Amino acid sequence: MPEFGFRVTHRDGRARCGVMTTAHGDVPTPAFMPVGTQGAVKGVLNRDLEQLGADILLSNTYHLYLRPGDGLIARRGGLHAFIGWPRPILTDSGGYQVFSLAAQRTIEEEGARFRSHLDGSAHLLTPEKAVDIQAQLGSDIAMVLDECLAHPSDPAVVRESMERTLRWGRRARERFLALYEKRGRESFSHDGVVVTNPGQAQFGIVQGGVSPQLRAESAGGTVAIGFEAYAIGGLSVGEPTTVMYDMVEQTTPCLPEERPRYLMGAGMPQDLVEAVARGVDLFDCVLPTRNARNGQLFTSEGPINIKNARYAEDDRPPDPDCRCYTCRTCSRAYLRHLYQAGEINASTLNTLHNLHFYLDTVRRIRDAIAFGRFESFRLNFQNSLSRRLHDS
């Protein structure tokens, strides 16, 4: 079972590209992870994701725990076997979903108490339980349980939350190390938990709201715990984009150079480029798939809303510069017709395009860094997008 690892291959300013090694294969970075919340990326098949060049997926611990259950998935051999995806998978801890259920949960030192959105049943998600669930899922990367706050929040509340996330991080690491002390090449059981992927790695999460001081404290404390890699959480939750960029810029230098850095949940195309410029390696976001289902397509000249009447007789592809299946075979007029008619194919074709756009963007970023032309790429990318922002 390959051990988790990371090496930087090229640098251009603070931007870098590299290779992240996991138990289910290597991931070239910077990388974008399509979101398969319930073990499936909405609107497309795993075959499509492989053809698009997706190297790693993100699945949701909260949703899979509630349905079909991590125990059932463990009995099926783990998440890779259950969903038929042979490449790397990252699972979040469920912290963000608990955050989004503000009316149905309470936060205490032990963990987060919440009621299922499915049937109203009561649950307690502790840092240890989040580790156990993800061990049974068998993802390649497991996230610790953290507390995510909305913006704005009272500074005292942000500090209290950040310090609680650090305490939860220590508990999660202790549980993870206890579970994996029997690491070998095969799955095993320990303390009632079926570990389906002995090569799993664990990422810590930096919190601290929009306070540079709290971000630095959180980063220092999280690094001191000692994880395989580190994520920046609690951003893209309502703060201005410029503030998010500032927090990323001030946080990445506090994280180890030899470990990948993951910006959680932030994901307009320009956000990927700007975060890479500040030293980030991994991204996820629901925007390309969710917006596709709502008729928004990301293009090289900015987003377009395919439901607009102006496209009813437009024979051009969604993006003349794109070579995805949708742009090779479909006109804007046809895509608008499918959307207006409520055809399932509308979601599929739009999603194929949007995911291609995101995955192609990170490929182009990697190439630009490797050839020492990242700053030129960054300026051209932003100038091109700004031409059409009025149509978003």
Side-chain angles (χ1 to χ4, degrees):
M1 184 72 69
E3 290 191 10
F4 181 86
F6 179 69
R7 60 186 176 90
V8 175
T9 57
H10 300 85
R11 299 179 187 273
D12 190 355
R14 289 176 64 175
R16 72 242 191 111
C17 55
V19 178
M20 183 175 70
T21 300
T22 79
H24 285 84
D26 291 344
V27 178
T29 62
F32 177 80
M33 298 178 282
V35 177
T37 299
Q38 302 189 77
V41 177
K42 288 182 173 63
V44 295
L45 302 175
N46 288 349
R47 174 198 63 199
D48 301 318
L49 297 171
E50 292 180 356
Q51 292 174 351
L52 287 169
D55 294 299
I56 179 170
L57 299 184
L58 181 147
S59 284
N60 188 282
T61 295
Y62 166 86
H63 287 282
L64 293 173
Y65 158 67
L66 290 179
R67 182 176 57 192
D70 52 299
L72 182 148
I73 292 174
R75 292 191 294 275
R76 308 277 78 72
L79 191 57
H80 292 87
F82 185 60
I83 70 174
W85 176 256
R87 301 182 183 185
I89 298 174
L90 180 148
T91 47
D92 62 17
S93 66
Y96 182 80
Q97 282 64 45
V98 171
F99 151 76
S100 68
L101 295 169
Q104 298 172 272
R105 57 92 171 137
T106 57
I107 301 296
E108 53 196 58
E109 191 62 27
E110 187 178 2
R113 294 188 183 276
F114 66 93
R115 291 197 173 275
S116 166
H117 70 287
L118 298 175
D119 58 12
S121 57
H123 299 266
L124 172 63
L125 183 63
T126 67
E128 295 83 2
K129 188 172 183 64
V131 171
D132 292 353
I133 294 169
Q134 292 177 88
Q136 298 211 127
L137 296 178
S139 56
D140 298 281
I141 297 168
M143 305 304 299
V144 299
L145 182 65
D146 63 325
E147 183 181 2
C148 183
L149 297 177
H151 176 83
S153 293
D154 182 89
V157 173
V158 176
R159 170 169 286 283
E160 180 183 13
S161 173
M162 181 274 289
E163 292 175 347
R164 181 181 295 114
T165 292
L166 276 177
R167 293 191 296 271
W168 283 2
R170 293 188 194 97
R171 287 167 53 188
R173 189 60 176 174
E174 290 171 3
R175 178 60 176 172
F176 181 86
L177 293 176
L179 274 185
Y180 286 87
E181 64 182 0
K182 295 183 179 179
R183 275 187 197 270
R185 296 185 60 86
E186 305 295 335
S187 61
F188 61 91
S189 296
H190 179 81
D191 198 19
V193 176
V194 179
V195 177
T196 59
N197 179 5
Q200 188 178 74
Q202 188 183 46
F203 282 23
I205 302 177
V206 174
Q207 288 288 350
V210 295
S211 164
Q213 178 183 346
L214 293 182
R215 286 278 167 183
E217 286 184 37
S218 178
T222 306
V223 171
I225 295 170
F227 295 94
E228 277 72 45
Y230 302 91
I232 302 171
L235 294 177
S236 196
V237 290
E239 78 282 358
T241 301
T242 54
V243 173
M244 178 179 72
Y245 293 164
D246 287 344
M247 290 301 99
V248 172
E249 185 162 13
Q250 295 180 57
T251 303
T252 51
C254 302
L255 302 175
E257 278 281 329
E258 70 278 9
R259 305 293 174 93
R261 302 158 178 159
Y262 165 30
L263 178 59
M264 304 180 72
M268 286 296 286
Q270 56 267 37
D271 296 341
L272 273 61
V273 175
E274 290 302 312
V276 167
R278 292 159 172 81
V280 174
D281 308 294
L282 292 171
F283 302 91
D284 81 278
C285 191
V286 298
L287 284 184
T289 48
R290 177 182 292 168
N291 289 22
R293 298 192 301 277
N294 291 321
Q296 186 181 65
L297 300 176
F298 294 98
T299 78
S300 58
E301 293 187 338
I304 64 172
N305 289 323
I306 203 65
K307 54 194 172 188
N308 287 354
R310 72 174 74 176
Y311 301 120
E313 299 189 46
D314 191 334
D315 293 327
R316 293 174 297 167
D319 187 346
D321 293 333
C322 179
R323 295 302 299 160
C324 77
Y325 175 82
T326 303
C327 289
R328 293 197 315 270
T329 60
C330 300
S331 68
R332 297 179 182 187
Y334 181 53
L335 292 175
R336 181 179 185 274
H337 159 67
L338 292 177
Y339 185 86
Q340 294 297 107
E343 286 288 343
I344 294 173
N345 283 0
S347 292
T348 296
L349 290 165
N350 292 347
T351 300
L352 285 173
H353 168 76
N354 278 357
L355 286 177
H356 178 276
F357 183 81
Y358 270 66
L359 293 167
D360 187 59
T361 295
V362 292
R363 279 193 292 266
R364 293 165 61 205
I365 288 173
R366 292 195 297 266
D367 288 345
I369 295 170
F371 286 101
R373 295 199 292 262
F374 176 72
E375 189 58 27
S376 174
F377 169 86
R378 175 188 178 190
L379 292 175
N380 289 337
F381 189 89
Q382 302 292 26
N383 289 338
S384 179
L385 286 182
S386 67
R387 296 176 201 156
R388 289 289 295 275
L389 286 179
H390 68 276
D391 189 41
S392 60

